[in-house]
Amino acid sequence: MIVSSFRTSTAIFALIILRVGALETFTAAVYEHTLILPNTTVTPVSLDDALLLMNKNIDILEREIKQAAKQGAQIIVTPEDALYGWTFTRETIFPYLEDIPDPQVNWIPCQHSDRFGYTPVQVRLSCLAKNNSIYVLANMGDKKPCDPHNSTCPPGGYHQYNTNVVYDTEGKLVARYHKVRGAAILSWFVPIHLLQYHLYFEPQFDVPEKPELVTFNTTFGKFGIFTCFDILFHDPAVTLVKDFHVDTILFPTAWMNVLPLLTAIEFHSAWAMGMRVNLLVANTHNIGLNMTGSGIYAPQSPKVYHYDMQTEMGKLLFSEVDSHPRVSPAYPAAVNWHAYATTIKLFPVQKNAFQGFISRDAFNFTELFDNAGNLTVCQKDLCCHLSYRMLGKEENEVYVLGAFSGRHGQRRREYWQVCTMLKCKTTDLTTCGWPVDTASTRFEMFSLSGTFGTEYVFPEVLLTKIHLSPGKFEVLQDGRLVNKNGPSEPILTASLFGRWYTKDSSSIPGGTSNSATTHLAHTYFIDDGSFADNVMG
Ligand SMILES: *[C@@H]1O[C@H](CO)[C@@H](O)[C@H](O)[C@H]1NC(C)=O
Ligand SMILES: *[C@@H]1O[C@H](CO)[C@@H](O)[C@H](O)[C@H]1NC(C)=O
Ligand SMILES: *[C@@H]1O[C@H](CO)[C@@H](O)[C@H](O)[C@H]1NC(C)=O
Ligand SMILES: *[C@@H]1O[C@H](CO)[C@@H](O)[C@H](O)[C@H]1NC(C)=O
Ligand SMILES: *[C@@H]1O[C@H](CO)[C@@H](O)[C@H](O)[C@H]1NC(C)=O
Ligand SMILES: *[C@@H]1O[C@H](CO)[C@@H](O)[C@H](O)[C@H]1NC(C)=O
Ligand SMILES: *[C@@H]1O[C@H](CO)[C@@H](O)[C@H](O)[C@H]1NC(C)=O
């Protein structure tokens, strides 16, 4: 008796704790920043000129950080490359870099500004956090001297890293993360003329020897960080969520939007839902390069997002976010992504299937001929099923259901499995998969599923004029992506974007280990061609 009542009260007690945990929230802010860019040069500028330019950008960030703190935000994320941009060689980025110590040294730059040499940027960022009592994530460049006689040491005698730093409310450095992905592998001898066209190469930066798993604790949850292109890979992104159980990811990026599957707001909101984690995204704003799209995304649904191809203005976003989403009553259940699709046999397969392309990837498509229907299209082991009913079929709009299972792009490195329903650019079926940003067809219902071989699937719904659809769709536990709360707004694409990490081609070893490796990486990437393949820096 006693034991059992003890158990009961323990259970009640545990419940109360859960409840309290569930109610805990914090206010997050992200800032989409329009950079003041340096002039492109072939010779490095002076340290003073580099600092002058960075301070101009930090002046703007300062205004927004103050504003965010005033409105009660406890943490703010600023974008990748926000202090100096992206058009550099290894030499021309150098004056912008500072040696950033390991956070274990326990350093408040704002208080001990001389402790690690000349570090004006770190001191200023730390003071911004301290003075405004807010956690600040910023992205800057780190330089680490190496032994020039060591073959792993690049010419110039430094490793250079694209780096995120986080300062707490006392101004203390609590996290430092060196970006892994992107094309930093390329290393130091890319001719300058290529930089214009292959910004995502990042020849100015090295990659760490292995992906770093960086987390830090706060009173409002456990945080993980990574940068931009990292989000498409398993490490560190998935590991931070699955094995380190972070509550919230901080994600600075310089993301170039690529329709139909990889615009920033579309993919990032889908990743947060698929991984069931909070994701705070700060993108740079540069409409000439299709860079816009920031947001605060919760596991259930986007909280707030921003997409603006009209103006050159920056944008500060706020939202209240669960500190510990896993214990929230609203936390979505785990999804078995193939459960539904592998059990049904009812749809006629490959009716009028044809081949088409999304960027360089050969999809199998089938047209949504009628107002309503049940369709299946397959590629290799992936079969995609769609049940749908349009509110009214527009004469001038054609939709297709598409399946892709294979390595993506020219590099054939990342293995994708994608089921997508999308609007073709015109009624000519050869335009299916081309970028299109307006639609007028609304769906009374849709249900999309696929026989995925991977458990990592990200549910995307993108509406006309590049809008998200929060609260208007959901993923059922059996893997169906369905509309809810009435008919949809006009749809550009509804997709299940799967990443099958274990089928990726073995990646080139990280780091600029030797010039043979580097040269290999070089040819590999040049091959790659267009932006359409590669989203970002
Ligand atoms: C770039 O060069 C122009 C013309 O020389 C100059 O007016 C401008 O201030 C420079 N911008 C920066 C950021 O240095
Ligand atoms: C922080 O506050 C101190 C004094 O309160 C001031 O001297 C300093 O300029 C401030 N720094 C920033 C970056 O706001
Ligand atoms: C060269 O540097 C790497 C890492 O920077 C280190 O692991 C290795 O031991 C060094 N090699 C020699 C011969 O010092
Ligand atoms: C965060 O807190 C958890 C438990 O309270 C602890 O296990 C973990 O080591 C901490 N992580 C960091 C980075 O301090
Ligand atoms: C921006 O996107 C549009 C439409 O998707 C595309 O035509 C254009 O080439 C893109 N611009 C860049 C710089 O990639
Ligand atoms: C479907 O895709 C596979 C692999 O790309 C291709 O071999 C096949 O011909 C496609 N089917 C149709 C109908 O296009
Ligand atoms: C699609 O299949 C469902 C049964 O799953 C059926 O009720 C419906 O009539 C079908 N729709 C069409 C247009 O064939």
Side-chain angles (χ1 to χ4, degrees), residues 329-390:
Y331 193 59
V335 173
N336 179 337
W337 290 101
H338 61 249
Y340 180 78
T342 46
T343 56
I344 60 158
K345 300 265 185 290
L346 60 163
F347 301 170
V349 173
Q350 303 285 93
K351 186 181 156 202
N352 302 309
F354 64 96
Q355 196 174 61
F357 287 86
I358 297 185
S359 82
R360 291 164 193 249
D361 300 328
F363 276 64
N364 287 352
F365 288 129
T366 188
E367 187 182 342
L368 280 60
F369 274 118
D370 304 315
N371 264 343
N374 295 312
L375 296 174
T376 295
V377 68
C378 302
Q379 185 171 83
K380 298 190 192 142
D381 290 340
L382 178 68
C383 284
C384 304
H385 303 298
L386 175 71
S387 295
Y388 70 97
R389 197 161 47 246
M390 293 169 178

Side-chain angles (χ1 to χ4, degrees), residues 118-192:
Y118 182 65
T119 55
V121 172
Q122 292 173 81
V123 170
R124 189 163 178 209
L125 294 171
S126 158
C127 289
L128 283 174
K130 183 174 188 298
N131 284 17
N132 298 292
S133 263
I134 183 173
Y135 279 79
V136 172
L137 181 144
N139 176 272
M140 59 182 288
D142 190 7
K143 59 177 180 191
K144 288 279 168 284
C146 49
D147 174 4
H149 302 300
N150 188 323
S151 61
T152 69
C153 187
Y158 284 88
H159 285 294
Q160 305 179 173
Y161 301 107
N162 175 329
T163 308
N164 300 336
V165 287
V166 180
Y167 299 96
D168 71 8
T169 52
E170 304 296 316
K172 187 168 90 176
L173 177 68
V174 292
R176 178 192 68 179
Y177 170 76
H178 296 136
K179 181 184 180 185
V180 194
R181 306 290 174 174
I185 307 167
L186 242 195
S187 185
W188 59 86
F189 58 82
V190 178
I192 184 99

Side-chain angles (χ1 to χ4, degrees), residues 472-485:
K472 296 275 285 176
F473 72 93
E474 65 186 324
V475 176
L476 307 180
Q477 268 171 268
D478 63 10
R480 276 176 292 172
L481 169 62
V482 298
N483 68 311
K484 69 170 185 185
N485 296 330

Side-chain angles (χ1 to χ4, degrees), residues 76-77 110 173 195 204 210 240 246 279 374 450 455 503 518:
I76 181 166
V77 183
C110 191
L173 177 68
L195 293 178
Q204 68 272 34
K210 54 177 198 262
L240 285 173
V246 299
L279 180 66
N374 295 312
E455 61 182 293
K503 282 170 97 73
T518 307

Side-chain angles (χ1 to χ4, degrees), residues 186-213:
L186 242 195
S187 185
W188 59 86
F189 58 82
V190 178
I192 184 99
H193 73 269
L194 284 175
L195 293 178
Q196 267 55 257
Y197 307 99
H198 303 277
L199 305 178
Y200 51 88
F201 280 179
E202 290 194 348
Q204 68 272 34
F205 289 122
D206 305 308
V207 296
E209 278 173 31
K210 54 177 198 262
E212 300 172 345
L213 292 152

